[in-house]
Amino acid sequence: MNRRTTVLSTTAVVALTAALTLSGCSSDSSSGAAGSDGKPELKVSGAFMPQPVMDMAGGFLTIKNESGTADKLTSVTSSLSDDVQIHETKNQKMQQVKSFDIPANGELDLERGGNHIMFMGLKTKPKQGDKVSIELHFEKADPIKVDLPVEAATHNPKQH
Ligand code: CU
């Protein structure tokens, strides 16, 4: 009984060590792929806001990380609202989060039914065809300004 427990835990330690070695390795080899100043290179695409039907609105976009340095989306600001939050959706309920991971050589997808930007207490109600300016703030990368075109309330590019 005692001996069997020892064998099991040794296996666990070996597996854990292997995992640590692997992750250490990949971050070493990819660090050279970052921008010349060492910051992640982020590109935003597919941004839009569905025309709001209440005094709050959602924002959706994709952030692509073309570097080997992982980053985080930490906040969003806009003149449309003094309270712009970032939300995740779990079990069809949304809740505020502190940040979203943007994996190295990966992307962060903000899409309907999933993670999104949430504008609370809108100062004005943008209409389809308007543009809403926002600024994305990151843990490492410089802030990025994006114009969200306002689309129909039901707009969902992923369903086309
Ligand atoms: Cu939300």
Side-chain angles (χ1 to χ4, degrees):
M1 172 94 182
N2 223 342
R3 179 171 165 74
R4 185 173 165 76
T5 310
T6 309
V7 170
L8 279 176
S9 61
T10 305
T11 309
V13 168
V14 169
L16 185 63
T17 309
L20 287 173
T21 309
L22 276 178
S23 61
C25 208
S26 69
S27 68
D28 279 354
S29 64
S30 56
S31 58
S36 53
D37 55 358
K39 286 183 178 169
E41 290 166 29
L42 306 177
K43 277 190 186 157
V44 178
S45 62
F48 74 97
M49 169 185 286
Q51 182 175 309
V53 290
M54 293 178 294
D55 67 341
M56 58 177 87
F60 306 93
L61 46 85
T62 298
I63 301 169
K64 200 161 189 232
N65 185 352
E66 294 180 333
S67 70
T69 306
D71 206 343
K72 281 180 200 278
L73 175 67
T74 52
S75 69
V76 179
T77 50
S78 169
S79 57
L80 185 63
S81 160
D82 290 331
D83 184 14
V84 185
Q85 306 180 352
I86 48 177
H87 285 180
E88 64 177 8
T89 308
K90 275 200 172 156
N91 302 321
Q92 307 196 344
K93 274 189 178 165
M94 54 187 192
Q95 58 189 52
Q96 190 173 5
V97 294
K98 287 210 172 75
S99 66
F100 283 130
D101 288 336
I102 309 169
N105 298 303
E107 58 184 40
L108 168 66
D109 259 322
L110 304 183
E111 55 188 17
R112 301 198 81 150
N115 299 334
H116 57 277
I117 301 165
M118 194 103 200
F119 303 77
M120 314 298 287
L122 301 183
K123 295 178 185 172
T124 58
K125 252 193 190 176
K127 293 256 185 303
Q128 189 171 353
D130 290 351
K131 280 200 159 61
V132 174
S133 298
I134 65 169
E135 193 168 75
L136 305 170
H137 300 265
F138 306 97
E139 187 180 65
K140 295 177 191 144
D142 292 328
I144 299 178
K145 284 195 166 85
V146 187
D147 280 339
L148 303 186
V150 179
E151 305 280 2
T154 54
H155 183 72
N156 189 354
K158 304 272 164 157
Q159 282 179 347
H160 288 304

